[in-house]
Protein backbone atom coordinates (compact mmCIF):
# COMPACT_ATOMS: atom_id res chain seq x y z
CA UNK A 1 0.00 0.00 0.00
CA UNK A 2 2.85 2.40 0.89
CA UNK A 3 4.54 1.76 -2.48
CA UNK A 4 1.26 2.30 -4.28
CA UNK A 5 0.75 5.63 -2.52
CA UNK A 6 4.32 6.67 -3.25
CA UNK A 7 3.94 5.87 -6.93
CA UNK A 8 0.65 7.73 -7.15
CA UNK A 9 2.19 10.68 -5.32
CA UNK A 10 5.16 10.68 -7.68
CA UNK A 11 2.86 10.61 -10.69
CA UNK A 12 0.84 13.52 -9.35
CA UNK A 13 4.00 15.49 -8.67
CA UNK A 14 5.32 14.70 -12.12
CA UNK A 15 2.05 15.85 -13.67
CA UNK A 16 2.22 19.10 -11.73
CA UNK A 17 5.82 19.69 -12.79
CA UNK A 18 4.97 19.04 -16.44
CA UNK A 19 1.98 21.36 -16.21
CA UNK A 20 3.95 24.19 -14.60
CA UNK A 21 6.83 23.75 -17.03
CA UNK A 22 4.52 23.74 -20.06
CA UNK A 23 2.76 26.86 -18.80
CA UNK A 24 6.00 28.75 -18.15
CA UNK A 25 7.67 27.76 -21.42
CA UNK A 26 4.60 28.42 -23.55
CA UNK A 27 4.03 31.79 -21.87
CA UNK A 28 7.65 32.77 -22.45
CA UNK A 29 7.34 31.79 -26.10
CA UNK A 30 4.11 33.78 -26.51
CA UNK A 31 5.78 36.82 -24.97
CA UNK A 32 8.94 36.69 -27.06
CA UNK A 33 9.82 39.56 -29.38
CA UNK A 34 9.82 38.81 -33.10
CA UNK A 35 11.85 41.39 -35.05
CA UNK A 36 10.42 42.08 -38.49
CA UNK A 37 11.07 44.76 -41.08
CA UNK A 38 7.65 46.06 -42.08
CA UNK A 39 7.45 47.70 -45.48
CA UNK A 40 5.27 50.76 -46.01
CA UNK A 41 2.26 50.33 -48.29
CA UNK A 42 -0.23 52.71 -49.86
CA UNK A 43 -3.77 52.56 -48.50
CA UNK A 44 -6.36 53.57 -51.08
CA UNK A 45 -9.39 55.70 -50.34
CA UNK A 46 -11.43 55.18 -53.49
CA UNK A 47 -14.70 53.26 -53.12
CA UNK A 48 -13.76 50.55 -55.62
CA UNK A 49 -10.60 49.55 -53.76
CA UNK A 50 -12.37 49.66 -50.38
CA UNK A 51 -15.07 47.42 -51.85
CA UNK A 52 -12.32 45.03 -52.95
CA UNK A 53 -10.99 45.08 -49.39
CA UNK A 54 -14.46 44.13 -48.18
CA UNK A 55 -14.50 41.26 -50.67
CA UNK A 56 -11.15 40.00 -49.37
CA UNK A 57 -12.35 40.29 -45.77
CA UNK A 58 -15.50 38.35 -46.61
CA UNK A 59 -13.90 35.57 -48.68
CA UNK A 60 -10.50 34.87 -47.12
CA UNK A 61 -11.71 33.66 -43.74
CA UNK A 62 -11.56 36.90 -41.71
CA UNK A 63 -15.26 36.81 -40.91
CA UNK A 64 -14.96 33.27 -39.51
CA UNK A 65 -13.16 34.68 -36.47
CA UNK A 66 -13.87 38.40 -36.34
CA UNK A 67 -17.44 38.27 -37.61
CA UNK A 68 -19.09 40.09 -40.48
CA UNK A 69 -18.96 43.41 -38.62
CA UNK A 70 -15.46 42.92 -37.16
CA UNK A 71 -16.63 42.80 -33.56
CA UNK A 72 -15.12 39.37 -32.83
CA UNK A 73 -16.70 36.18 -31.57
CA UNK A 74 -16.02 32.88 -29.86
CA UNK A 75 -14.16 30.72 -32.37
CA UNK A 76 -13.44 27.61 -30.27
CA UNK A 77 -14.99 26.48 -27.00
CA UNK A 78 -14.24 22.77 -26.85
CA UNK A 79 -12.08 20.21 -25.04
CA UNK A 80 -10.70 22.73 -22.58
CA UNK A 81 -9.77 25.23 -25.32
CA UNK A 82 -11.30 28.69 -25.53
CA UNK A 83 -10.48 31.10 -28.33
CA UNK A 84 -12.31 34.41 -28.55
CA UNK A 85 -11.26 36.57 -31.49
CA UNK A 86 -11.13 40.27 -30.61
CA UNK A 87 -13.06 43.26 -31.80
CA UNK A 88 -11.09 44.87 -34.64
CA UNK A 89 -13.36 47.88 -35.05
CA UNK A 90 -12.61 50.99 -32.99
CA UNK A 91 -15.47 50.32 -30.58
CA UNK A 92 -15.43 49.07 -26.98
CA UNK A 93 -12.95 46.26 -26.27
CA UNK A 94 -11.15 46.99 -29.53
CA UNK A 95 -7.75 45.37 -30.04
CA UNK A 96 -6.89 47.81 -32.82
CA UNK A 97 -7.89 51.29 -31.55
CA UNK A 98 -4.35 52.62 -31.84
CA UNK A 99 -3.40 50.69 -34.98
CA UNK A 100 -1.56 52.61 -37.67
CA UNK A 101 -1.14 51.22 -41.18
CA UNK A 102 2.20 49.67 -40.25
CA UNK A 103 0.54 47.83 -37.34
CA UNK A 104 -2.10 46.32 -39.62
CA UNK A 105 0.59 45.18 -42.05
CA UNK A 106 2.75 43.71 -39.27
CA UNK A 107 -0.17 41.72 -37.88
CA UNK A 108 -1.69 40.59 -41.18
CA UNK A 109 1.49 39.75 -43.08
CA UNK A 110 3.91 38.81 -40.33
CA UNK A 111 1.75 37.48 -37.50
CA UNK A 112 3.29 39.97 -35.08
CA UNK A 113 1.46 42.43 -32.84
CA UNK A 114 2.50 46.08 -32.52
CA UNK A 115 4.40 45.26 -29.30
CA UNK A 116 6.54 42.75 -31.20
CA UNK A 117 4.94 39.63 -29.71
CA UNK A 118 3.51 36.91 -31.97
CA UNK A 119 -0.20 36.59 -32.60
CA UNK A 120 -1.58 33.30 -31.30
CA UNK A 121 -4.11 31.23 -33.26
CA UNK A 122 -4.58 33.85 -36.02
CA UNK A 123 -3.38 32.20 -39.26
CA UNK A 124 -1.34 35.11 -40.62
CA UNK A 125 0.49 32.62 -42.82
CA UNK A 126 -2.68 32.67 -44.96
CA UNK A 127 -2.21 36.39 -45.59
CA UNK A 128 1.57 36.73 -45.61
CA UNK A 129 1.73 36.57 -49.41
CA UNK A 130 -0.94 39.14 -50.17
CA UNK A 131 0.20 41.75 -52.66
CA UNK A 132 0.71 45.34 -51.56
CA UNK A 133 -2.41 46.27 -53.50
CA UNK A 134 -4.60 43.68 -51.78
CA UNK A 135 -3.10 44.35 -48.35
CA UNK A 136 -3.75 48.05 -48.83
CA UNK A 137 -7.33 47.42 -49.92
CA UNK A 138 -7.95 45.15 -46.92
CA UNK A 139 -6.48 47.71 -44.50
CA UNK A 140 -8.55 50.47 -46.11
CA UNK A 141 -11.70 48.45 -45.48
CA UNK A 142 -10.73 47.62 -41.90
CA UNK A 143 -9.96 51.24 -41.09
CA UNK A 144 -13.45 52.37 -42.08
CA UNK A 145 -15.37 49.72 -40.14
CA UNK A 146 -18.01 51.42 -37.96
CA UNK A 147 -16.88 51.48 -34.30
CA UNK A 148 -18.98 48.90 -32.49
CA UNK A 149 -18.69 47.27 -29.05
CA UNK A 150 -17.40 43.75 -29.29
CA UNK A 151 -15.44 40.90 -27.79
CA UNK A 152 -12.19 41.15 -25.87
CA UNK A 153 -9.45 38.77 -27.00
CA UNK A 154 -9.16 35.63 -24.89
CA UNK A 155 -7.13 32.47 -25.45
CA UNK A 156 -7.13 29.58 -22.98
CA UNK A 157 -5.15 26.55 -24.14
CA UNK A 158 -5.25 23.07 -22.58
CA UNK A 159 -2.04 21.62 -21.17
CA UNK A 160 -1.25 19.29 -24.13
CA UNK A 161 -1.48 22.20 -26.56
CA UNK A 162 0.73 24.39 -24.34
CA UNK A 163 3.28 21.60 -24.11
CA UNK A 164 3.34 21.00 -27.88
CA UNK A 165 3.61 24.74 -28.51
CA UNK A 166 6.46 25.07 -26.03
CA UNK A 167 8.53 22.32 -27.68
CA UNK A 168 7.76 23.36 -31.26
CA UNK A 169 5.21 20.69 -32.10
CA UNK A 170 2.73 23.49 -32.76
CA UNK A 171 3.98 26.71 -34.32
CA UNK A 172 2.50 30.18 -34.31
CA UNK A 173 2.18 32.09 -37.56
CA UNK A 174 5.34 34.12 -36.98
CA UNK A 175 7.34 30.86 -36.93
CA UNK A 176 5.83 29.65 -40.20
CA UNK A 177 6.26 32.85 -42.22
CA UNK A 178 9.43 33.66 -44.15
CA UNK A 179 9.65 37.33 -43.17
CA UNK A 180 12.48 37.99 -45.64
CA UNK A 181 10.35 37.39 -48.74
CA UNK A 182 9.26 40.49 -50.64
CA UNK A 183 5.55 40.75 -51.37
CA UNK A 184 4.46 39.24 -54.68
CA UNK A 185 3.70 41.46 -57.63
CA UNK A 186 0.10 42.16 -58.46
CA UNK A 187 -1.34 40.14 -61.31
CA UNK A 188 -4.69 40.22 -63.07
CA UNK A 189 -7.43 38.09 -61.59
CA UNK A 190 -8.11 35.39 -64.17
CA UNK A 191 -9.07 31.73 -64.37
CA UNK A 192 -5.47 30.57 -64.37
CA UNK A 193 -3.44 28.26 -62.19
CA UNK A 194 -1.15 31.19 -61.34
CA UNK A 195 -4.02 33.21 -59.89
CA UNK A 196 -5.37 30.07 -58.24
CA UNK A 197 -2.05 29.61 -56.44
CA UNK A 198 -2.48 33.12 -55.05
CA UNK A 199 -6.04 32.39 -53.87
CA UNK A 200 -4.91 29.08 -52.35
CA UNK A 201 -2.75 30.90 -49.81
CA UNK A 202 -5.96 31.32 -47.82
CA UNK A 203 -6.10 27.53 -47.38
CA UNK A 204 -2.67 26.73 -45.93
CA UNK A 205 -3.52 27.49 -42.30
CA UNK A 206 -5.62 24.30 -42.15
CA UNK A 207 -4.54 22.26 -45.18
CA UNK A 208 -0.81 22.89 -44.72
CA UNK A 209 1.80 24.54 -46.89
CA UNK A 210 1.67 21.61 -49.35
CA UNK A 211 -2.16 21.47 -49.17
CA UNK A 212 -2.05 17.76 -48.35
CA UNK A 213 -4.24 18.16 -45.27
CA UNK A 214 -3.98 16.06 -42.14
CA UNK A 215 -4.47 16.91 -38.49
CA UNK A 216 -4.78 20.65 -37.90
CA UNK A 217 -2.07 21.56 -35.36
CA UNK A 218 -3.54 22.72 -32.07
CA UNK A 219 -7.16 22.10 -33.09
CA UNK A 220 -9.58 20.46 -30.62
CA UNK A 221 -9.70 16.65 -30.87
CA UNK A 222 -13.28 16.85 -32.13
CA UNK A 223 -12.20 18.65 -35.28
CA UNK A 224 -11.76 16.42 -38.33
CA UNK A 225 -8.50 16.29 -40.24
CA UNK A 226 -8.15 18.72 -43.12
CA UNK A 227 -8.73 17.14 -46.52
CA UNK A 228 -5.91 16.31 -48.90
CA UNK A 229 -6.27 18.79 -51.77
CA UNK A 230 -3.51 17.25 -53.87
CA UNK A 231 -4.21 14.35 -56.25
CA UNK A 232 -2.45 11.95 -53.87
CA UNK A 233 -3.92 8.97 -51.97
CA UNK A 234 -7.01 9.94 -50.05
CA UNK A 235 -7.51 13.10 -52.09
CA UNK A 236 -10.79 14.93 -51.63
CA UNK A 237 -10.36 16.46 -55.09
CA UNK A 238 -11.30 13.18 -56.77
CA UNK A 239 -14.89 14.16 -56.02
CA UNK A 240 -14.52 17.44 -57.93
CA UNK A 241 -13.15 16.73 -61.41
CA UNK A 242 -14.82 19.81 -62.88
CA UNK A 243 -14.85 23.43 -61.83
CA UNK A 244 -18.65 23.27 -61.67
CA UNK A 245 -18.62 20.47 -59.09
CA UNK A 246 -15.99 22.34 -57.08
CA UNK A 247 -18.00 25.57 -57.11
CA UNK A 248 -21.14 23.70 -56.06
CA UNK A 249 -19.26 22.35 -53.03
CA UNK A 250 -17.99 25.81 -52.04
CA UNK A 251 -21.45 27.32 -52.37
CA UNK A 252 -23.40 24.56 -50.60
CA UNK A 253 -20.96 22.99 -48.12
CA UNK A 254 -21.98 19.58 -49.44
CA UNK A 255 -20.26 16.80 -51.36
CA UNK A 256 -21.65 15.61 -54.71
CA UNK A 257 -23.45 12.76 -52.92
CA UNK A 258 -25.33 15.29 -50.79
CA UNK A 259 -23.47 14.63 -47.53
CA UNK A 260 -22.56 17.68 -45.46
CA UNK A 261 -18.90 18.61 -45.03
CA UNK A 262 -17.71 19.56 -41.53
CA UNK A 263 -18.61 23.16 -40.63
CA UNK A 264 -14.96 23.60 -39.57
CA UNK A 265 -14.43 24.37 -43.26
CA UNK A 266 -15.19 28.12 -43.59
CA UNK A 267 -17.94 27.86 -46.18
CA UNK A 268 -19.51 31.12 -45.04
CA UNK A 269 -16.39 32.82 -46.41
CA UNK A 270 -15.27 30.63 -49.28
CA UNK A 271 -18.83 30.32 -50.55
CA UNK A 272 -18.74 34.06 -51.32
CA UNK A 273 -15.74 33.78 -53.65
CA UNK A 274 -16.53 35.04 -57.10
CA UNK A 275 -16.43 32.60 -60.00
CA UNK A 276 -13.03 33.79 -61.21
CA UNK A 277 -11.31 33.13 -57.86
CA UNK A 278 -13.10 29.81 -57.31
CA UNK A 279 -12.42 28.51 -60.81
CA UNK A 280 -8.79 29.63 -60.62
CA UNK A 281 -8.41 27.82 -57.29
CA UNK A 282 -9.78 24.65 -58.84
CA UNK A 283 -7.43 25.02 -61.83
CA UNK A 284 -4.44 25.38 -59.49
CA UNK A 285 -5.35 22.38 -57.35
CA UNK A 286 -5.37 20.25 -60.50
CA UNK A 287 -1.69 21.10 -61.05
CA UNK A 288 -0.43 20.06 -57.61
CA UNK A 289 1.94 17.10 -57.38
CA UNK A 290 0.30 14.15 -55.60
CA UNK A 291 1.13 13.75 -51.93
CA UNK A 292 -0.19 11.27 -49.38
CA UNK A 293 -2.69 12.83 -47.01
CA UNK A 294 -1.00 14.70 -44.20
CA UNK A 295 2.47 14.69 -45.77
CA UNK A 296 3.93 18.17 -45.22
Amino acid sequence: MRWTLRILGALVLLGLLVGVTAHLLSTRKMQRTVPVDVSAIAVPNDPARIAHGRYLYSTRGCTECHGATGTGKTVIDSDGMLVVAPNITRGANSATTAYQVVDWVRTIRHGVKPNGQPVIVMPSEDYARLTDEDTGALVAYLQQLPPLPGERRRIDLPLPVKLLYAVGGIKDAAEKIDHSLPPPRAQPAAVTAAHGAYVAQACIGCHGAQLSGGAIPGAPPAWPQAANLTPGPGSAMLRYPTAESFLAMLRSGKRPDGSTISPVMPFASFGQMNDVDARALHAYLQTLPPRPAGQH
Side-chain angles (χ1 to χ4, degrees), residues 227-280:
N228 184 4
L229 302 183
T230 80
S235 172
M237 293 305 295
L238 297 176
R239 299 188 179 97
Y240 313 105
T242 66
E244 285 69 26
S245 60
F246 186 70
L247 264 67
M249 176 270 294
L250 289 181
R251 305 281 190 257
S252 68
K254 295 183 178 181
R255 303 178 182 90
D257 63 5
S259 59
T260 301
I261 301 173
S262 169
V264 170
M265 173 81 169
F267 288 110
S269 293
F270 292 168
Q272 297 184 61
M273 277 189 188
N274 60 38
D275 282 1
V276 171
D277 281 357
R279 288 177 181 275

Side-chain angles (χ1 to χ4, degrees), residues 100-161:
Q100 303 300 312
V101 172
V102 69
D103 299 314
W104 285 111
V105 176
R106 183 185 292 107
T107 303
I108 292 169
R109 273 188 175 164
H110 297 279
V112 179
K113 295 181 285 188
N115 64 2
Q117 295 176 357
V119 299
I120 308 300
V121 179
M122 177 177 171
S124 292
E125 66 269 27
D126 289 2
Y127 315 111
R129 303 301 296 152
L130 285 175
T131 63
D132 282 348
E133 292 77 9
D134 278 354
T135 304
L138 179 57
V139 172
Y141 174 69
L142 293 170
Q143 286 184 322
Q144 59 82 61
L145 285 172
L148 297 170
E151 299 290 339
R152 190 182 302 277
R153 171 188 175 275
R154 183 178 173 187
I155 298 177
D156 295 332
L157 302 177
L159 176 59
V161 173

Side-chain angles (χ1 to χ4, degrees), residues 20-157:
V20 170
T21 302
H23 175 73
L24 292 176
L25 291 178
S26 62
T27 300
R28 184 169 69 179
K29 185 175 178 181
M30 291 178 188
Q31 295 177 348
R32 75 188 190 281
T33 298
V34 182
V36 292
D37 183 16
V38 183
S39 302
I41 64 167
V43 176
N45 57 13
D46 60 287
R49 294 305 299 165
I50 294 174
H52 182 61
R54 183 181 187 279
Y55 170 75
L56 292 172
Y57 181 82
S58 300
T59 62
R60 299 304 192 262
C62 307
T63 59
E64 301 298 324
C65 294
H66 297 288
T69 59
T71 52
K73 63 180 183 179
T74 299
V75 182
I76 300 173
D77 187 2
S78 173
D79 300 290
M81 180 183 295
L82 176 65
V83 176
V84 180
N87 182 5
I88 56 173
T89 77
R90 296 181 184 272
N93 293 328
S94 172
T96 61
T97 300
Y99 266 40
Q100 303 300 312
V101 172
V102 69
D103 299 314
W104 285 111
V105 176
R106 183 185 292 107
T107 303
I108 292 169
R109 273 188 175 164
H110 297 279
V112 179
K113 295 181 285 188
N115 64 2
Q117 295 176 357
V119 299
I120 308 300
V121 179
M122 177 177 171
S124 292
E125 66 269 27
D126 289 2
Y127 315 111
R129 303 301 296 152
L130 285 175
T131 63
D132 282 348
E133 292 77 9
D134 278 354
T135 304
L138 179 57
V139 172
Y141 174 69
L142 293 170
Q143 286 184 322
Q144 59 82 61
L145 285 172
L148 297 170
E151 299 290 339
R152 190 182 302 277
R153 171 188 175 275
R154 183 178 173 187
I155 298 177
D156 295 332
L157 302 177

